[in-house]
Amino acid sequence: MPAAPAPTRADAEALDRADPLARFRDRFVGLDGSAYLMGNSLGPLPAATEDRLAAFTREGWGGRRVEGWEEWLDLPTRVGDRVGRLVGAGPGQVVVGDSTTVQLHKLLHAGLSGRPDARAVAVADDEFPTDRYVVDGVAADRDLEVRVVPLDGCDGPVAADAVARTCADGAVGVVVASLVRYRTGARADMAAVSAAAHAAGALVLWDLSHAVGAVPLALDADGADLAVGCTYKYLNAGPGAPALAYRARRHAHLHQPIHGWFGQVDQFAMDATYAPQPDARQLLVGTPPVAGLLAVDEGVALHEEAGVDALAEVGRAQMRMVWDAATAALLPLGVALATPADPARRGQHLALRHPDARALVDALADDGVVADHRAPDIVRLAAAPLHTRFVDLWDAVEGIRRHLAA
Ligand SMILES: *Cc1c(COP(=O)(O)O)cnc(C)c1O
């Protein structure tokens, strides 16, 4: 690919002026002039969420007390269906509750319950730690071998041919993989990877933590089986907000293993023994975290208002600009780009590799640019188009350039 001309700060300012989503930045609390490039770690607080939670505590919990359950009881499925619309999942397949880790554990058992003959479970190489721990723990419980799916190059996404090779002998029941890798931002091809797994008799359990709210998703159309994902990253639902769990309708017989009263077919028939709900409610366990669910609802509402297409378009433009700026300014200074060049194969953060990654992030912080470091050598700059400005990304690249050139 021929090198694009290096964007200038004036170019970045012009892109901000033309940005159809620029007005959304003011809908967040506390950003002021700062460059907050950690929307992939903890999304900032939407003002609407602050109001919604204040109203909930005052009028809901404070005012209605136990009667509030009339409106809260079905939040996990109501908010779940709303998240479902955002990720291309028809109604009745998504619930929100529990942490991502717990959802992973539940859905991995569910997926494996459909393959009692499976001898192995597979996980993408260099997968997020909690995902690896869940896989190792469930494999030990079920006496399964753990296989590692090699990545496409050391930075690339999990690829269909690698999944096909890992699962070729038919022993793998479930493949666990992030759609967008937390380290490099590399993004897998959901349809192709799913098809490769299915051809070998395996299901895929996708971790959408760095994808939901960041890139357009079409879970139903792409043949997804099972998925989980964070809501406190690009969905701005706040620290510890509950995670999503998706189970394709055709897999409704795959039950998660924690039998709780929210998954019971007649929740208030108090003496009954457990009989599972026939639909996504079987994925529920116990009393849902109401405040967190309201925050997810507001986060998704902001994304709906902005529109999935506009978010995707501005997101791609931001990634292109920061990619071009980093290529021109930083490659000559010994920085490598770990994020793929192909726009279809990347999510919404740029990962830069440099041995002094830690010091670079500290230097950015001194300039008011909030970025993050992933050991040992990665700097991540997230472009979350609801609140990130083009100049924020440009200033981050320039800050790194100045530090390295000094
Ligand atoms: C952020 C993240 C998690 C977090 O899991 P929690 O249970 O919410 O702490 C899990 N997996 C991936 C890939 C992540 O990026």
Side-chain angles (χ1 to χ4, degrees):
M1 226 184 285
T8 62
R9 194 169 201 281
D11 293 334
E13 286 166 351
L15 286 163
D16 278 324
R17 281 194 299 276
D19 177 357
L21 301 180
R23 64 197 161 87
F24 280 90
R25 182 173 163 90
D26 289 340
R27 308 276 292 274
F28 290 86
V29 172
L31 291 179
D32 304 318
S34 73
Y36 185 75
L37 303 180
M38 285 185 66
N40 60 340
S41 183
L42 180 65
L45 168 64
T49 305
E50 190 177 27
D51 294 343
R52 182 92 179 263
L53 293 181
F56 160 68
T57 50
R58 220 174 25 240
E59 289 133 37
W61 180 19
R64 298 195 65 203
R65 290 176 293 276
V66 73
E67 279 163 21
W69 278 112
E70 278 170 29
E71 24 178 312
W72 304 327
L73 206 60
D74 68 346
L75 278 173
T77 48
R78 208 154 23 99
V79 176
D81 282 344
R82 194 168 192 181
V83 172
R85 285 197 292 280
L86 192 68
V87 300
Q93 302 177 98
V94 178
V95 299
V96 180
D98 303 319
S99 67
T100 311
T101 306
V102 171
Q103 300 289 33
L104 266 167
H105 180 92
K106 287 155 60 184
L107 286 188
L108 182 51
H109 272 296
L112 289 166
S113 73
R115 279 291 307 277
D117 60 320
R119 284 176 282 113
V121 49
V123 60
D125 195 11
D126 193 37
E127 192 45 87
F128 191 83
T130 212
D131 300 57
R132 288 185 282 111
Y133 306 153
V134 166
V135 166
D136 288 348
V138 169
D141 279 353
R142 302 180 82 105
D143 201 18
L144 299 172
E145 172 200 348
V146 175
R147 291 188 188 169
V148 174
V149 183
L151 295 171
D152 180 8
C154 75
D155 293 331
V158 79
D161 56 347
V163 168
R165 278 196 304 278
T166 306
C167 302
D169 64 354
V172 174
V174 176
V175 178
V176 176
S178 283
L179 188 71
V180 175
R181 293 189 59 211
Y182 82 101
R183 221 191 273 278
T184 62
R187 168 175 162 196
D189 180 337
M190 180 180 278
V193 169
S194 299
H198 296 167
L203 302 183
V204 181
L205 169 45
W206 291 106
D207 190 327
L208 305 177
S209 290
H210 284 268
V212 60
V215 297
L217 295 168
L219 297 193
D220 289 348
D222 285 345
D225 299 299
L226 305 165
V228 302
C230 288
T231 60
Y232 51 79
K233 293 172 179 165
Y234 292 95
L235 284 186
N236 309 98
L244 73 97
Y246 163 90
R247 185 184 62 191
R249 204 180 314 284
R250 67 183 179 284
H251 295 314
H253 61 290
L254 300 179
H255 288 173
Q256 62 85 13
I258 305 175
H259 292 184
W261 68 324
F262 275 72
Q264 149 74 16
V265 73
D266 185 1
Q267 183 180 2
F268 294 100
M270 306 302 268
D271 286 335
T273 52
Y274 182 81
Q277 287 280 9
D279 51 31
R281 287 171 293 179
Q282 198 276 326
L283 300 177
L284 303 178
V285 176
T287 304
V290 173
L293 281 159
L294 296 176
V296 176
D297 201 41
E298 288 300 331
V300 176
L302 265 184
H303 283 254
E304 284 174 357
E305 189 186 335
V308 173
D309 293 340
L311 283 165
E313 194 181 321
V314 177
R316 274 195 304 271
Q318 293 193 332
M319 288 300 292
R320 194 178 323 123
M321 192 222 60
V322 71
W323 171 276
D324 290 343
T327 300
L330 303 183
L331 297 196
L333 295 170
V335 172
L337 297 180
T339 305
D342 178 357
R345 291 282 70 83
R346 60 195 185 202
Q348 281 304 122
H349 71 261
L350 185 70
L352 308 167
R353 242 184 235 290
H354 190 276
D356 297 334
R358 170 83 265 166
L360 291 173
V361 166
D362 292 343
L364 286 176
D366 291 342
D367 295 343
V369 176
V370 186
D372 92 344
H373 165 238
R374 279 288 171 264
D377 60 350
I378 296 261
V379 177
R380 299 190 305 178
L381 309 175
L386 277 180
H387 57 83
T388 306
R389 295 171 300 193
F390 285 85
V391 288
D392 297 337
L393 296 161
W394 195 91
D395 289 346
V397 170
E398 171 60 13
I400 293 172
R401 187 199 66 75
R402 263 201 324 272
H403 184 76
L404 288 176

